[in-house]
Each structure stands twice: as structure tokens, then as C-alpha cells.
Amino acid sequence: MQVLGIETSCDETAIAVYDSEVGILSHCLYSQIDLHNKYGGVVPELASREHVLKVLPLIKKTLIEGKTEFNLLNAVAYTMGPGLVGSLLVGCTVGRSLAYALSLPSIGIHHMEAHLLASMLEKNTPVYPFLALLVSGGHTQIVNVKASGIFKILGESVDDAAGEAFDKTAKVLGLPYPGGPALSALAEKGAGDRFQFPRPMANQPNLDFSFSGLKTFALNTIKSEYIDEQTRADVARAFVDAIVDTFIIKCRRAIKETGIRQLVVAGGVSANKQLQYGLITMLKEEGCEVFFPRDEYCTDNGAMIAYAGYLRIKKGQYEPLGFQAKPRWPIDNI
Ligand code: KG4
Ligand code: ZN
């Protein structure tokens, strides 16, 4: 079975074809970073217009690269939410219309579920039930993945998502959008013993997070210091250490409380090398296993949508002719 996947939930147009015999045949991505960079963040209206321009040429390119064609496809999957409504509507409309024109079933996919399923595209895969740490630009959650499509949210951010905290703090440090990778690279040059940032909510007996204070902490630190390149790097390092430590504390607690011994980490921030190193070390100490998607499947991509679509279509799940986009869509309500 071949499934076409279409991702347009934010600022990346991403397409892939998944083949149930072979795996991902091809995946292509057009990033709008250059377009939004000068505004310091994603401008939703510009994002949707750009998806409109890019989505069909990218589908064509992906089919050519995958050495496949429309009449070999068996289904179409598209991101239905959560995300920016205008951007989502582009992928939903194209996906549903394409499926109608080709007389194929189509399925709307939950973006965060797809992120966590991306780990299943690797050789070593987790087995249900497992824990998932979902860390993207819009979400920070610890989830108990009880079975395919059955989720219990154990904790989440009460304010900024981890990616959002990275992006806002990067801005404070004068780094370009999106800030995550740039901030992480700057932190590599920083000293770990110069500034000590708080570990938000670490002492509270729950699995929730709060990251908005870290940006303010970074801002106040910068204001009170003479700012040279080393100081910026030291602030970046203190910020990254605080985020990584907080995730280690909460994930350790989730493992102890649930007794579940496998953790999947997914979403854009899972590409962060300091976070990967911290979690791998902690899970080893606990005798548990951790799973990350490969780098290109950590951030937004079409492969995760095509694969999530395959899993649903295989179970006989597909949409009626009408379709919807869900900008807000809790993962425990799929
Ligand atoms: O999953 P994603 O690509 O899009 C959303 O679904 O939001 O996540 C994007 C977020 C951005 O906030 C970006 O700064 C962050 O992931 N990110 C990173 C890294 N790569 C991407 N944050 C920290 N370190 C990274 N290496
Ligand atoms: Zn994402």
C-alpha cells in the first residue's frame, strides 16, 4: 500500500510517500524560514499563501523522486490539526480533493500523534504502552501512549511550549528565527558554571511544566551584565541546562510513577543534542529505553504524516467527503 502524506500545519510544506513494503519512498520539504525570518516569527497569513504556491509542485517532485505516480497511490493523508488554521486548510483541501479526484480514501492526521509515530520509522521501535515526551513549537506534554491512538496526558506546559521558550529566548539573545537550533549551538560555547537558571516547577509533585519565566530570567541576566559574545553563550548554556534538567526530572518522575520503561521523544525540540544526551544518560541510569526519530523526522516532515495515515487506513479508518481543519485538537481526543 502507498500513502501520500501532506503536512502544512505551520511554516513547512512537507510531502512524503510511504510504502508498506519498502518504507518511506521519498520525502520533500520546503521551509518558509527565509520568508518569516525578517518578522522574527511565523506570520500566519503569509504562511498559508506560501503553502498554496508550494504544495502542488512539491507533491509532483515527491512522486518523481519516489519513482511513483498518482495511479499507484492507495490513500492520501493530510495534517488536520493542531496548527494554524489557514495553513492547515491548504493541506486539508489539497489532500481531500486529490483523494476525491483519484477515488482514494483520505484521512486527517493529528500532527502531534504523527510526531510520536515518527520513531516507528526507525529500526528499533517502542512497544505499547510507552511514554512520550512531545516537545514542539506549540506543545510540551508527557503522554502515556496506551495503545495505537489511545493517549492519556500526564502533564503539560501551563504556559509556553519548550520550542516557544527556545525561540523567545533566542530572540532576547539576538539570534534569528527559529531560535532553537541557533540557541543550542551558542550554548555549546557557554560555561556551565557561570549562571544558574531555575528549574521551573521541578519541586511540584506533578508532571506539568512552565517555561515562560526562563525567557524573563535570560532577559534580566543580560540586562545586569556587560554583554559580550562569551556572556551570550553562557546565558544560552544556562537556559539549555535548565530546560534539559527540567525534562530529566519530570521524565524520571513519569517513569517511576507509571512503571513504564520506554520513552519516545518527539517534536522539533527532540532534535536538540543536549536534550538527547541528557535523556539518554538518565534513562540508562534507570535501566530504561529511549527512542528519538532521526534528525530530519524530529522537526516537521511529511514522512510522519504518510506513515500515520498508513496505520489508520490499514485499520479501515477514513474521512467522509466533507472535511475539517482543527486548529485546536487535544491528543487525548482523536
Ligand atoms: O515540531 P516542530 O518542527 O514544529 C511544530 O510542530 O511546532 O518544532 C519547531 C520547534 C521550534 O520552536 C524550534 O525552535 C524547535 O522546534 N527546534 C529546536 C531544535 N530544532 C528545532 N529547539 C532546540 N534545539 C533544536 N536543535
Ligand atoms: Zn511539529
Side-chain angles (χ1 to χ4, degrees):
M1 185 195 291
Q2 286 191 7
V3 181
L4 179 74
I6 304 174
E7 156 63 34
T8 65
S9 68
C10 190
D11 60 346
E12 255 116 24
T13 319
I15 312 291
V17 180
Y18 178 80
D19 182 307
S20 52
E21 304 291 313
V22 183
I24 295 295
L25 293 184
S26 54
H27 68 106
C28 294
L29 181 136
Y30 170 77
S31 168
Q32 301 180 1
I33 284 178
D34 291 344
L35 174 70
H36 300 289
N37 207 337
K38 54 180 174 285
Y39 303 100
V42 178
V43 182
E45 179 63 25
L46 295 183
S48 359
R49 290 185 203 183
E50 197 70 352
H51 285 307
V52 169
L53 292 177
K54 301 298 180 200
V55 66
L56 288 176
L58 206 61
I59 289 175
K60 197 171 168 190
K61 181 172 179 239
T62 310
L63 293 178
I64 291 169
E65 285 189 10
K67 298 188 174 53
T68 186
E69 45 194 272
F70 281 130
N71 61 21
L72 293 177
L73 297 176
N74 302 97
V76 180
Y78 50 86
T79 306
M80 188 156 85
L84 303 170
V85 71
S87 291
L88 287 168
L89 275 170
V90 178
C92 294
T93 310
V94 168
R96 189 67 198 85
S97 306
L98 206 52
Y100 183 60
L102 297 169
S103 299
L104 296 177
S106 76
I107 182 81
I109 298 297
H110 191 289
H111 181 82
M112 296 312 296
E113 181 187 22
H115 264 306
L116 80 84
L117 289 172
S119 282
M120 306 276 191
L121 290 167
E122 305 306 329
K123 262 200 201 109
N124 188 21
T125 56
V127 180
Y128 298 111
F130 56 85
L131 293 172
L133 174 66
L134 301 177
V135 277
S136 71
H139 291 79
T140 299
Q141 295 178 319
I142 297 186
V143 180
N144 180 348
V145 187
K146 297 182 169 199
S148 170
I150 301 177
F151 305 95
K152 184 171 181 221
I153 298 170
L154 303 178
E156 58 192 329
S157 177
V158 297
D159 43 50
D160 289 354
E164 202 178 350
F166 264 97
D167 294 342
K168 287 179 176 173
T169 305
K171 218 175 186 174
V172 164
L173 290 170
L175 298 168
Y177 171 83
L183 183 52
S184 171
L186 185 61
E188 294 283 354
K189 300 180 200 147
D193 53 0
R194 177 148 170 221
F195 302 115
Q196 179 74 11
F197 280 27
R199 278 46 179 159
M201 297 181 77
N203 295 327
Q204 293 189 19
N206 57 36
L207 297 172
D208 289 334
F209 304 93
S210 165
F211 291 124
S212 64
L214 289 178
K215 171 201 61 191
T216 317
F217 212 85
L219 192 62
N220 291 341
T221 309
I222 282 174
K223 274 187 195 155
S224 62
E225 294 287 329
Y226 169 73
I227 281 295
D228 56 8
E229 196 48 29
Q230 189 57 49
T231 305
R232 287 171 71 239
D234 294 345
V235 171
R237 171 70 188 269
F239 169 84
V240 171
D241 284 354
I243 291 250
V244 171
D245 257 11
T246 307
F247 280 131
I248 289 174
I249 292 166
K250 297 282 173 164
C251 288
R252 200 194 293 269
R253 185 172 299 157
I255 285 165
K256 296 220 152 114
E257 281 178 8
T258 60
I260 297 175
R261 313 203 53 78
Q262 294 189 317
L263 175 74
V264 167
V265 191
V269 182
S270 66
N272 184 276
K273 295 297 162 212
Q274 292 101 331
L275 179 63
Q276 292 191 358
Y277 178 78
L279 286 174
I280 288 169
T281 309
M282 182 275 280
L283 281 135
K284 214 172 177 183
E285 279 165 23
E286 297 293 336
C288 298
E289 264 186 299
V290 64
F291 303 84
F292 296 91
R294 71 191 74 173
D295 282 355
E296 71 218 85
Y297 296 165
C298 284
T299 42
D300 287 352
N301 65 87
M304 65 185 196
I305 305 301
Y307 179 63
Y310 160 70
L311 294 180
R312 298 226 167 247
I313 295 286
K314 195 174 69 163
K315 283 198 244 167
Q317 298 172 359
Y318 48 86
E319 306 290 344
L321 268 183
F323 65 93
Q324 51 180 333
K326 295 183 177 179
R328 286 177 192 280
W329 188 9
I331 199 167
D332 53 358
N333 190 24
I334 292 181

